[in-house]
Amino acid sequence: MDISPREAEVLELVGEHLSNAEIAARLFISVRTAESHVSALLRKLDVPDRRALAGRAAAGGRAAGASRPAPVLPAPLTSFVGRASERAELAEVIGKHRQVTAVGPGGVGKTRLALAVAADAAGAFADGVWFVDLVPVTDPGMVADAVAGALGLGEQPGRGMTESVAAALADRRALLVLDNCEQVRDGVALFLERLLAACPQVTVLATSRARLMVPFERVYAVPPLSLSDGESDAVALFKERATAIGWPLDPPLHEHIRSICERLDGMALSIELAAARYPTLGLDGLTAALSHPLRTLAGGPRADDRHRSVRAAVDWSHTLLEPADRELLRRVSVFVAPFTAAAAAEVAGAEQGVVVEGLARLAEQSLLLVRASAGATEYRALETIRQYGVERLTEAGELDGVRARHLRWCLATAASLTGAAGTDWRPRFDAAADDLRSALAWAAEQPDHRADAHDLALRLAELAFTRNLVGESQQRYEQAAALAGEPAGAAAALRHAAAVAGCRMHGDDMYRLHRAAADAARRSGDTARAAADLATAATTVFRFSGTFVRTPPPEETLALIAEAREHAGDDPVARAAVALAEAASVADAFGADQDPHDEAVARTLARAEDAVGLAHRTRVPSAESAALDALSAVQSWVGDAFAAAATARRRVTLLSSAPTTPAVAHELVQALGEAAQTGIGVGDLPDARHWARLLADHPSLAEVGHRATSWQLVADALAGDAEGVLTGAVRFLDGWRRSGSPVWPELEPAVTAVAMIHGLRGDQDARNEWNTILGRFGTSPNRTHGHGAVFDAMLLLHNGQAPEAMERLAPGPGEVWRWVTWIWLHWYVALRAEATVLAGGPDARERLADAREITAGDPVAGAIVERAGALLDGARERLLATVDAFDAAGCRYQSARTLLLAGGDHAVQGTRALTALGLAPAAVR
């Protein structure tokens, strides 16, 4: 077994349960390359699936003496001192309880203790230890997003972020450390209630100033550092920090140090600050400073003793600053994430040179943390210091002014990110996102800044969408609508929110938001635009019914169309939207009609074509795409597969050149899928595989590999590309399981295709595994008569079971037209004719004649029919001519099968061709 160094790296990351997208990001390779490495590892290690591969990775690591996955914890810059008993106690508690909250006042040392215990416990959690800093999170609804960010996850369409995280951790034995929960306590409680119910092997260690108040919580009160006689933890911490900065302490000073630590109530933060000041003040100076009357200013009668003592340490350090540095500290406290000197200068309203010097002095006083990088030096205030600074900002009467400058900085930052590109865009957005959210939260509550809040909400919505944070994007668009100064602006934001909801596969939200947009447009006096929104809401029901939890009743939808028609007037956008809704309604009824008459066909086509014409005149790509989608559906229903394929290609071309918006992205993902499907339907496998590849690589589907690869698997399977199917199946299965194993009907053809490929390879165990998955989808008419019949027949014919294949395809196309019309009609009738010929059916010539007429113009299905006719007539030259036809059509499997059917030396060539495709030799009869 020869595993390359790169494959070894990939294997290790599979063992850490990373998705292919996450592996690609970690190793700086493409997702496609990661998929190929995983596929190669499955073959080399002879394991059936990704789960088994992860097991081999874990076993291999242990055999080599490697530990479990390294805990994903921040590396402390200073040593952890003392707390041996607390470490042991807290470790014991998290070993017995699934949700533990380490509670204590700010500065007591909760975070450092939690990190130490998490590192100690890492060996007990096979799937890793993960740290989530909630300090920057100000919105309780964003807790799941913060956890997802720490885990490297994104939201999956059709699921909220909480559900996406739960799906990713469903079968993991992992420890989550949620730090600083107090400001979003309600959000953490709700998130944990859902997470722990869905993830039975996950343990959570939270730190908070107050308990989370949930019934399953086990509270561990973190005490101050011990102050007992002898070498107490508090004294040891003071000495260690003083020694670290080059000022070792003599043993006779022990009691003096102990008295200082006692004055500080054993609070770790206070002791660290005191030790930092020892070189300049000495022990006597420290003692005098702790007696300063400002020591009790901040806490007052509102706070308990411990809160006052932490505030006293910060107060004391604050009083030692020069007035200019105090001003700078309180002004930069509005930043909730690391910031640069340039940003600090803008928000503080001072010259950058002066600010740089002030930031350096604050860092020297341990009031700011410094992180240097190639790009810029960044500063961050500890949360206790930051909150203290905000209080001082309020007392100085400067809060509104500084917040306003911070808001302007955030607006400028958001504007610079909008439309930007480059490999550094994502980290730039991630670095600024928490400040954007914080500024928006403040501005939204300030009447004087409502317009700025509206603008920032729109910017953040757009940026979140680009970042694939589609749940937040929808939320921000709805927030922008609520902040809009006039109804027309609210309506525009609501339309964007509806489009994002479509990307999330949330049909109910699409419907709700389009109706809300109609209400807002009506309030603005724009009755025509309101009519368009109502018509679009109705169209949503017909086009995306599979994404609804509760589909509106037909009478409600038809009433919307009637109301929209009444108020559309001569407005081109409204008329186009109404025409589309009417076309979608008629097409829906037409598709349900098992025996459509010529009049109904003509009327339905006319409606759809009229909708396309009206939409084209609006010059709105997403509107024209929607109309083309309706036309393509009708063309397919009436049996014009080539027209449907041409319309689908036209739709992709239209959207590919349009500016990227949520509406365009939503339409493009659907259009690519439709182009792949209709390409399959007319035997244009090269184009179908091209569109399917673009769909698989679309960034909005990075987190949902099952949805991304579904049509790629089908197209590759029909072409006979076993390697492509095996590679794509790994990503499909990983994404499907991470998403909670949904049984969406549109995924069923892909599962059936993979099962068939394993059958063609002779791997019955793998086929049984995929058939088990297929069984979870139930038995649909489409599987019985559509894709299922086609794939089953291909495998039966491959195995020489022509009579069984003929029986599988027994119903004539007229009996099952509804299930084969969309993309399977040509394949169905061609394989039906071949099975009949090979089985010696008495009506073989009749079926061949019908099949020739139906498949005319289809290079693959037509070649299958021609091959069957050559076999029936014993025409060897005609038979061999189909080899070139299949090769030209990109269908290497059928080319190899033709050689087998030709017999003799050709059969030997066919067997070699099948082996090259990774398939087993086929039986001829």
Side-chain angles (χ1 to χ4, degrees):
M1 177 181 62
D2 184 17
I3 295 180
S4 69
R6 174 64 82 188
E7 288 172 346
E9 292 178 318
V10 172
L11 179 61
E12 180 180 356
L13 296 177
V14 170
E16 295 180 22
H17 299 280
L18 269 63
S19 69
N20 288 335
E22 293 164 346
I23 292 173
R26 184 78 65 87
L27 298 180
F28 301 98
I29 58 178
S30 70
V31 175
R32 178 75 172 167
T33 301
E35 293 170 1
S36 298
H37 286 313
V38 171
S39 179
L41 287 166
L42 288 169
R43 294 195 302 275
K44 290 182 179 181
L45 297 178
D46 192 24
V47 293
D49 57 25
R50 193 184 186 96
R51 189 184 299 270
L53 189 62
R56 281 293 296 273
R62 288 191 291 273
S67 62
R68 293 175 183 270
V72 184
L73 301 172
L77 299 178
T78 55
S79 60
F80 185 80
V81 177
R83 292 203 183 275
S85 60
E86 291 95 325
R87 288 173 77 166
E89 291 168 1
L90 186 52
E92 182 178 3
V93 175
I94 67 170
K96 295 179 179 179
H97 303 276
R98 295 186 56 220
Q99 199 276 298
V100 179
T101 306
V103 173
V108 75
K110 302 183 293 295
T111 298
R112 289 300 300 269
L113 177 61
L115 288 172
V117 171
D120 293 342
F125 295 91
D127 295 309
V129 178
W130 305 84
F131 179 86
V132 184
D133 184 8
L134 296 179
V135 166
V137 181
T138 57
D139 183 349
M142 298 296 294
V143 170
D145 298 73
V147 176
L151 295 175
L153 300 173
E155 188 181 26
Q156 302 162 346
R159 315 173 73 87
M161 193 63 87
T162 297
E163 288 74 21
S164 297
V165 172
L169 296 177
D171 59 349
R172 306 272 187 102
R173 178 164 177 74
L175 173 65
L176 279 182
V177 181
L178 304 185
D179 194 37
N180 292 292
C181 299
E182 52 270 3
Q183 79 277 15
V184 285
R185 186 172 52 165
D186 293 342
V188 171
L190 181 60
F191 169 76
L192 291 183
E193 187 171 2
R194 296 177 179 175
L195 178 75
L196 295 176
C199 306
Q201 299 186 84
V202 169
T203 297
V204 175
L205 172 58
T207 73
S208 179
R209 296 186 184 185
R211 8 177 340 200
L212 302 180
M213 301 296 289
V214 289
F216 47 83
E217 178 184 33
R218 178 61 181 261
V219 176
Y220 179 83
V222 179
L225 293 168
S226 64
L227 292 165
S228 57
D229 292 336
E231 191 71 11
S232 68
D233 287 345
V235 171
L237 176 63
F238 189 103
K239 287 184 174 181
E240 199 280 340
R241 296 296 185 257
T243 301
I245 56 177
W247 290 83
L249 293 158
D250 295 330
L253 300 175
H254 174 86
E255 284 303 314
H256 200 163
I257 296 170
R258 196 187 73 79
S259 68
I260 290 174
C261 293
E262 188 172 6
R263 294 280 298 274
L264 297 173
D265 293 328
M267 300 299 288
L269 175 61
S270 302
I271 292 169
E272 296 225 21
L273 289 170
R277 296 300 297 167
Y278 168 70
T280 55
L281 294 178
L283 295 183
D284 290 338
L286 287 174
T287 301
L290 292 177
S291 301
H292 197 283
L294 290 179
R295 177 172 182 254
T296 57
L297 253 181
R302 297 178 288 113
D304 58 25
D305 289 339
R306 288 179 179 172
H307 197 184
R308 259 199 312 272
S309 65
V310 173
R311 190 175 301 279
V314 183
D315 239 348
W316 153 78
S317 185
H318 183 260
T319 61
L320 299 177
L321 296 174
E322 294 296 326
D325 290 346
R326 294 183 202 170
E327 178 184 90
L328 180 59
L329 178 64
R330 64 178 180 259
R331 291 184 177 182
V332 299
S333 66
V334 296
F335 288 102
V336 296
F339 55 90
T340 64
E346 187 172 339
V347 171
E351 294 182 7
Q352 185 169 337
V354 174
V355 168
V356 169
E357 294 178 0
L359 292 174
R361 288 191 295 271
L362 293 174
E364 290 172 0
Q365 301 298 325
S366 299
L367 292 169
L368 292 178
L369 299 179
V370 185
R371 183 178 67 187
S373 67
T377 300
E378 292 183 331
Y379 301 85
R380 181 175 70 86
L382 295 172
E383 180 60 12
T384 303
I385 303 298
R386 195 189 72 79
Q387 291 180 3
Y388 179 90
V390 172
E391 291 180 2
R392 299 286 78 75
L393 198 60
T394 304
E395 290 176 0
E398 299 175 345
L399 181 62
D400 287 348
V402 174
R403 281 286 192 188
R405 289 196 293 271
H406 180 250
L407 174 61
R408 287 197 297 273
W409 176 82
C410 287
L411 282 166
T413 300
S416 71
L417 289 167
T418 302
T423 57
D424 66 337
W425 184 90
R426 177 169 172 166
R428 285 174 57 209
F429 169 77
D430 289 348
D434 287 321
D435 272 301
L436 302 185
R437 292 163 183 147
S438 174
L440 177 56
W442 175 78
E445 300 298 323
Q446 309 299 314
D448 292 344
H449 293 285
R450 188 180 183 91
D452 285 337
H454 170 262
D455 292 345
L456 184 55
L458 284 177
R459 291 282 193 189
L460 187 52
E462 182 179 345
L463 293 169
F465 184 80
T466 304
R467 179 63 174 80
N468 286 332
L469 300 174
V470 286
E472 180 179 4
S473 178
Q474 179 182 331
Q475 173 194 349
R476 299 305 178 190
Y477 276 125
E478 293 194 53
Q479 185 178 16
L483 291 167
E486 39 83 28
L494 289 166
R495 292 179 197 114
H496 284 306
V500 177
C503 295
R504 303 178 69 203
M505 298 180 69
H506 286 195
D508 303 78
D509 277 358
M510 291 181 72
Y511 182 73
R512 170 181 63 82
L513 290 164
H514 280 304
R515 295 201 63 173
D519 291 339
R522 193 180 295 113
R523 291 196 303 273
S524 74
D526 192 345
T527 56
R529 198 63 184 87
D533 290 323
L534 290 175
T536 304
T539 302
T540 296
V541 178
F542 295 116
R543 290 185 70 198
F544 310 112
S545 59
T547 67
F548 277 75
V549 175
R550 187 197 71 82
T551 306
E555 57 271 18
E556 180 177 314
T557 308
L558 294 176
L560 290 182
I561 298 176
E563 183 179 352
R565 187 186 305 115
E566 179 183 352
H567 296 289
D570 295 327
D571 183 84
V573 172
R575 288 181 59 208
V578 171
L580 175 58
E582 291 174 337
S585 173
V586 172
D588 185 69
F590 179 77
D593 186 352
Q594 292 291 342
D595 186 24
H597 299 290
D598 290 343
E599 182 181 345
V601 171
R603 183 173 63 250
T604 306
L605 274 173
R607 290 257 192 191
E609 289 167 349
D610 181 52
V612 171
L614 289 170
H616 178 70
R617 287 194 283 275
T618 68
R619 305 182 70 82
V620 178
S622 57
E624 186 174 353
S625 169
L628 288 170
D629 184 31
L631 175 60
S632 180
V634 174
Q635 290 167 333
S636 181
W637 280 124
V638 302
D640 194 346
F642 294 100
T647 301
R649 291 193 299 270
R650 176 180 165 190
R651 188 179 172 204
V652 172
T653 302
L654 167 73
L655 294 167
S656 298
S657 60
T660 301
T661 65
V664 168
H666 181 216
E667 289 289 331
L668 181 57
V669 166
Q670 288 206 317
L672 289 170
E674 183 180 299
Q677 294 173 62
T678 54
I680 291 169
V682 297
D684 188 355
L685 290 182
D687 259 11
R689 296 176 74 184
H690 170 70
W691 303 127
R693 172 71 58 201
L694 291 179
L695 180 65
D697 293 339
H698 197 279
S700 69
L701 301 183
E703 298 291 339
V704 281
H706 53 304
R707 188 177 173 211
T709 61
S710 57
W711 287 107
Q712 179 186 339
L713 289 171
V714 174
D716 285 351
L718 291 169
D721 182 1
E723 183 177 356
V725 172
L726 295 178
T727 300
V730 173
R731 183 181 175 195
F732 179 97
L733 196 57
D734 182 52
W736 184 69
R737 285 174 172 161
R738 282 174 173 267
S739 296
S741 305
V743 289
W744 299 334
E746 57 265 34
L747 300 179
E748 195 176 13
V751 179
T752 313
V754 177
M756 181 200 72
I757 285 294
H758 284 301
L760 295 179
R761 297 180 72 243
D763 189 343
Q764 192 59 42
D765 289 341
R767 181 168 181 250
N768 289 339
E769 179 185 347
W770 282 85
N771 279 334
T772 299
I773 294 172
L774 192 59
R776 298 180 63 170
F777 286 76
T779 303
S780 67
N782 206 330
R783 183 180 168 211
T784 302
H785 302 300
H787 65 268
V790 168
F791 286 125
D792 287 350
M794 285 181 63
L795 182 57
L796 289 168
L797 290 170
H798 181 87
N799 291 331
Q801 298 173 279
E804 291 82 353
M806 186 173 69
E807 178 63 26
R808 183 70 178 86
L809 300 170
E815 300 175 64
V816 295
W817 74 271
R818 188 179 181 194
W819 311 112
V820 298
T821 296
W822 182 235
I823 60 173
W824 301 110
L825 177 61
H826 293 181
W827 293 90
Y828 188 94
V829 298
L831 292 170
R832 187 169 183 262
E834 178 177 316
T836 306
V837 169
L838 293 175
D843 56 347
R845 291 197 180 276
E846 180 182 346
R847 290 190 178 184
L848 277 171
D850 291 342
R852 281 195 181 95
E853 181 179 352
I854 292 173
T855 63
D858 184 319
V860 178
I864 292 174
V865 174
E866 179 59 27
R867 181 176 65 194
L871 288 169
L872 184 61
D873 296 336
R876 185 180 179 82
E877 293 303 319
R878 281 170 49 202
L879 175 66
L880 290 173
T882 64
V883 172
D884 293 335
F886 285 124
D887 285 337
C891 194
R892 294 171 61 199
Y893 168 70
Q894 293 295 349
S895 173
R897 177 166 164 72
T898 301
L899 292 170
L900 285 170
L901 290 168
D905 292 340
H906 295 294
V908 175
Q909 296 177 37
T911 299
R912 290 174 181 165
L914 287 174
T915 301
L917 290 173
L919 303 176
V924 176
R925 300 284 180 177

